[in-house]
Amino acid sequence: MADPSRGQALETTRTESYYVARRRAYKAFLYILMFAGCAVMLLPFFWMLTTSFKTELEAMRMPPQWIPRTWLWENYPVALARAPFGRYFFNSFFVSILSTIGEVFTTILAAYAFAKMRFFGKNFLFALLLGTMMIPGEMLLIPNYVTLVRLNWFDHYEGLIIPWLASVFGIFLLRQFFRSLPDELWDSARIDGCRRFRYLWTIIVPLSKPAILTVALLKFLGSWNAYQWVLLMTNAQSMRTVPVGLTMFSSDIGTEYQLLMAASVVAIVPILILFFFTQKQFIQGVARTGIK
Amino acid sequence: MKRPLGAGKKAGAADGKTIDPFRLPRDRAFWRETLAAYWYLIPAFLVLGTFVFYPFFSAFKLSLFKWSSLNPPGTFIGFENYRYIFHDKYFWRAMGHTFYYVGITVPVTLALSILVATLLNQGLRFLSFARTSFFLSYISPVVAMAMVWRWMYNVDYGLINYFLSFFHIDAIAWLNDPRYSLPAVILLSVWHYVGYQAIILLAGMQSIEQQYYDAAKVDGASGFQTWWKVTVPLLSPQIFFVFIISLIGSFKVFTEINVLLSGPGPLRSAETLVYYIIRSSGRIDHATNHIGRAAAASVVLFGIIFVFTIIQLTLTQKRVHYD
């Protein structure tokens, strides 16, 4: 220790290992934080899933029974038999699929016109679309309710599908994408004698698959999860979709939470399947809504 | 029938006039294309016209009529509906609840989502697992999620009270106590939307160019300094966007409340503006229908959202864009 140079060398090695240790500790801390966050986010899903396999007694145990002792698969058929879930699912699929297809169709047409065509009143119509972004959908609920009653679409599939067949957001998103495609495509297609409509569906649409898929996914998601509109615009049990059916089911079954959880799991599954098959597209689509 | 390419554009230039490139020549081809374009626009505009443009004006009109049943046209009563709701204590309470909900949900969710996005941007492993975990709550139906939370909020057997018991906090009747019904909804909303906002912010962070971070490193900035002086300012457009959509979205909260509390909460303690609108229409909560009052409250909702949108538009043009 008396030798100053030796002491200095010792100190530098200590500092280096100190920094390495500190960086490791920091990394470990970040990982702990991340997994704690994930745990908080996933806990309700975990709780829903395990509760759905418990007996009523087990579900109400305190301190909680984290993993059911025996996995009670019967909860699922029992829950689904208590309410017309078959009908709810049919309605959800029917409404979601038709409104997704319809919206994609109207959106492609309108977005193409705004992206690539010259026409009278283009700026005015586009400003009109922009203006609708300021209108909260909830403001339109009451007048739309009156309209649906007048059209005799209340309690009909028309009322659940047709009002949702156009989306301003979708038009913006696709227009943006279409604009990035080169005009030369159209020029050469025109020389080959291709009509505009056919050109749109055979050249533009296949080139824009990712953007169109994003629009379709977001639409399907919104349609499947829709609650407020269905609650307002239908009365008959036979017209209800899964989310509204689920709330009606919950008021019927009282305290049998394991059945409610089983039904909730079933309501989420279609979305989860869709999500895991199109995950990248899905997340990018949502992320893109923020980049503008 | 086929014109040479670009004939329309050159038509004016041929006789030596300078043409304004922003003004389209209105020749026959232009009008033919206009006609075609309108065919493309009709489907979307028919739907938007019937279910967005028309009801927008219709809301103002309906708010001036007294409609106790759905028999049109009702009687014109001027601003009576507005007078009624502005003297209705439940309307003001609904406004209060809405601002309370927005005032807590928006900043808390935003702060958490910035932290989450920062954390996920640290180059850690298992990123896709973490991203999926945070995203799952957003894509799942709110109704199903509210069901789970209802179960977790259960006084006797709920997980939340179980966790609170570690800290010697007595069981809270989350859903049946007027003091806690709105906080319960807020917690659910924060959990439901934080992942969505974090994903948007994360995408924004990843699009920040590396050169800024290199420059910060050269200048010897610490990790926190880099985050505060580089990441956050360059992320401001996304932060602002997320802030505004969450502000506007939160003002319209309804589903979370109606499902979690199966109604407006004990003593209408969680009734918000949109809940008030729908309740006035007589469609929920066994209320009598007053379409006119509901429409008047809808117009008020529009007014509030409109102000926010104007603020957004002016601010986006002024600040936020640093790059």
Side-chain angles (χ1 to χ4, degrees):
Chain A
M1 279 296 157
D3 185 357
S5 65
R6 233 183 111 217
Q8 209 173 14
L10 205 86
E11 208 176 307
T12 36
T13 39
R14 212 170 68 201
T15 2
E16 258 167 42
S17 64
Y18 167 74
Y19 275 120
V20 169
R22 207 178 83 158
R23 203 175 306 133
R24 277 208 189 127
Y26 179 64
K27 267 269 146 93
F29 169 72
L30 289 183
Y31 274 109
I32 291 171
L33 215 59
M34 184 176 91
F35 283 115
C38 293
V40 171
M41 294 308 289
L42 293 179
L43 180 71
F45 290 96
F46 173 81
W47 194 233
M48 170 171 68
L49 198 65
T50 54
T51 304
S52 74
F53 287 106
K54 291 175 187 172
T55 61
E56 194 174 349
L57 269 176
E58 242 180 344
M60 300 204 168
R61 191 160 291 164
M62 257 307 139
Q65 176 91 31
W66 289 103
I67 306 285
R69 242 185 240 139
T70 48
W71 293 75
L72 209 63
W73 287 89
E74 292 92 89
N75 282 342
Y76 282 81
V78 168
L80 295 184
R82 286 274 194 96
F85 274 103
R87 181 74 194 216
Y88 298 157
F89 271 94
F90 170 77
N91 289 344
S92 274
F93 274 113
F94 185 70
V95 169
S96 305
I97 290 173
L98 278 192
S99 41
T100 304
I101 294 174
E103 193 219 74
V104 166
F105 180 75
T106 65
T107 303
I108 288 175
L109 287 179
Y112 177 75
F114 278 120
K116 291 292 184 190
M117 291 173 88
R118 317 171 294 147
F119 58 89
F120 178 75
K122 186 171 175 176
N123 292 339
F124 170 74
L125 287 177
F126 197 69
L128 209 60
L129 279 194
L130 266 173
T132 62
M133 302 288 241
M134 295 188 199
I135 305 176
E138 281 68 9
M139 178 204 188
L140 311 175
L141 282 173
I142 304 304
N144 276 335
Y145 168 61
V146 174
T147 306
L148 287 196
V149 171
R150 279 195 190 154
L151 289 171
N152 202 18
W153 285 357
F154 182 82
D155 249 347
H156 284 79
Y157 287 118
E158 288 93 326
L160 297 183
I161 297 170
I162 294 174
W164 295 100
L165 287 186
S167 141
V168 175
F169 168 74
I171 294 176
F172 283 146
L173 204 133
L174 279 193
R175 170 184 166 268
Q176 201 84 341
F177 195 89
F178 289 166
R179 272 161 69 102
S180 69
L181 299 173
D183 280 330
E184 285 76 15
L185 279 175
W186 169 230
D187 293 338
S188 55
R190 196 154 57 157
I191 289 167
D192 293 342
C194 182
R195 298 291 295 264
R196 198 187 281 277
F197 193 73
R198 218 189 81 193
Y199 163 73
L200 171 59
W201 293 97
T202 54
I203 312 278
I204 293 278
V205 167
L207 282 176
S208 317
K209 251 189 221 149
I212 293 173
L213 191 61
T214 301
V215 170
L217 276 175
L218 293 177
K219 179 65 180 190
F220 189 87
L221 184 70
S223 196
W224 184 273
N225 293 351
Y227 169 78
Q228 186 174 260
W229 184 270
V230 184
L231 180 74
L232 249 76
M233 306 306 176
T234 61
N235 257 346
Q237 196 176 29
S238 61
M239 286 308 299
R240 302 247 136 140
T241 55
V242 173
V244 180
L246 198 59
T247 57
M248 291 166 66
F249 176 68
S250 81
S251 51
D252 290 343
I253 56 154
T255 60
E256 291 173 274
Y257 275 101
Q258 72 285 7
L259 299 183
L260 182 60
M261 290 304 105
S264 304
V265 170
V266 178
I268 294 180
V269 163
I271 288 294
L272 290 192
I273 292 175
L274 191 68
F275 176 68
F276 282 110
F277 275 107
T278 57
Q279 211 181 123
K280 207 175 141 199
Q281 204 56 243
F282 221 120
I283 292 182
Q284 277 176 357
V286 168
R288 197 181 310 168
T289 63
I291 290 176
K292 287 229 261 192
Chain B
M1 289 299 279
K2 273 185 206 126
R3 295 177 303 113
L5 298 178
K9 279 173 206 155
K10 278 171 199 150
D15 40 87
K17 282 180 203 156
T18 48
I19 49 165
D20 181 358
F22 294 106
R23 198 176 160 78
L24 297 165
R26 303 233 162 120
D27 54 6
R28 251 186 76 209
F30 173 77
W31 291 110
R32 214 166 49 211
E33 199 164 319
T34 297
L35 194 68
Y38 282 2
W39 280 112
Y40 286 60
L41 293 175
I42 279 177
F45 271 84
L46 208 59
V47 174
L48 292 175
T50 318
F51 296 103
V52 178
F53 298 123
Y54 167 72
F56 174 70
F57 296 105
S58 172
F60 289 95
K61 196 190 128 197
L62 286 175
S63 72
L64 304 176
F65 283 78
K66 180 184 170 72
W67 281 32
S68 47
S69 66
L70 280 172
N71 297 330
T75 28
F76 181 82
I77 50 167
F79 291 98
E80 192 54 38
N81 287 321
Y82 292 94
R83 219 186 60 84
Y84 176 87
I85 61 169
F86 288 141
H87 285 90
D88 183 5
K89 73 170 180 190
Y90 284 110
F91 174 78
W92 290 112
R93 282 169 61 176
M95 287 286 256
H97 297 151
T98 309
F99 277 93
Y100 173 31
Y101 172 86
V102 171
I104 296 182
T105 309
V106 173
V108 170
T109 315
L110 188 63
L112 280 177
S113 61
I114 293 176
L115 289 183
V116 170
T118 307
L119 187 63
L120 297 186
N121 198 30
Q122 297 297 311
L124 301 180
R125 278 196 276 173
F126 308 108
L127 174 67
S128 64
F129 167 77
R131 207 167 48 175
T132 306
S133 318
F134 276 95
F135 205 52
L136 225 44
S137 66
Y138 174 68
I139 57 159
S140 304
V142 192
V143 172
M145 293 297 96
M147 291 297 168
V148 184
W149 280 82
R150 207 155 101 184
W151 173 219
M152 296 204 303
Y153 279 131
N154 189 292
V155 194
D156 302 311
Y157 313 109
L159 275 188
I160 307 275
N161 278 347
Y162 171 67
F163 289 136
L164 289 180
S165 71
F166 294 157
F167 305 99
H168 304 287
I169 297 172
D170 288 335
I172 293 172
W174 289 96
L175 308 179
N176 297 314
D177 186 331
R179 284 173 303 167
Y180 290 105
S181 52
L182 212 43
V185 178
I186 290 173
L187 190 57
L188 161 65
S189 303
V190 171
W191 175 81
H192 190 243
Y193 289 105
V194 70
Y196 165 68
Q197 300 190 2
I199 295 293
I200 291 182
L201 295 180
L202 180 63
M205 279 182 188
Q206 286 169 345
S207 67
I208 296 177
E209 281 173 48
Q210 186 59 35
Q211 62 191 48
Y212 297 108
Y213 290 108
D214 294 340
K217 208 170 202 173
V218 169
D219 291 344
S222 71
F224 177 78
Q225 279 175 328
T226 312
W227 181 76
W228 181 244
K229 300 272 183 183
V230 177
T231 310
V232 171
L234 285 175
L235 197 62
S236 60
Q238 280 85 5
I239 294 179
F240 189 67
F241 171 78
V242 165
F243 173 72
I244 285 290
I245 54 164
S246 120
L247 189 71
I248 290 177
S250 302
F251 252 98
K252 307 188 290 192
V253 61
F254 168 78
T255 304
E256 287 87 342
I257 292 168
N258 199 37
V259 178
L260 189 66
L261 305 170
S262 17
L267 305 173
R268 293 168 78 169
S269 57
E271 181 173 13
T272 54
L273 187 51
V274 170
Y275 198 99
Y276 183 89
I277 293 172
I278 297 178
R279 192 180 192 280
S280 305
S281 77
R283 293 289 297 133
I284 48 169
D285 217 16
H286 309 292
T288 34
N289 61 341
H290 296 283
I291 296 291
R293 287 176 199 168
S298 305
V299 171
V300 173
L301 173 75
F302 169 71
I304 295 173
I305 303 281
F306 186 71
V307 169
F308 287 139
T309 318
I310 295 297
I311 293 174
Q312 177 202 8
L313 289 179
T314 35
L315 278 186
T316 332
Q317 275 160 11
K318 269 192 198 146
R319 283 188 66 212
V320 204
H321 283 294
Y322 277 71
D323 204 18

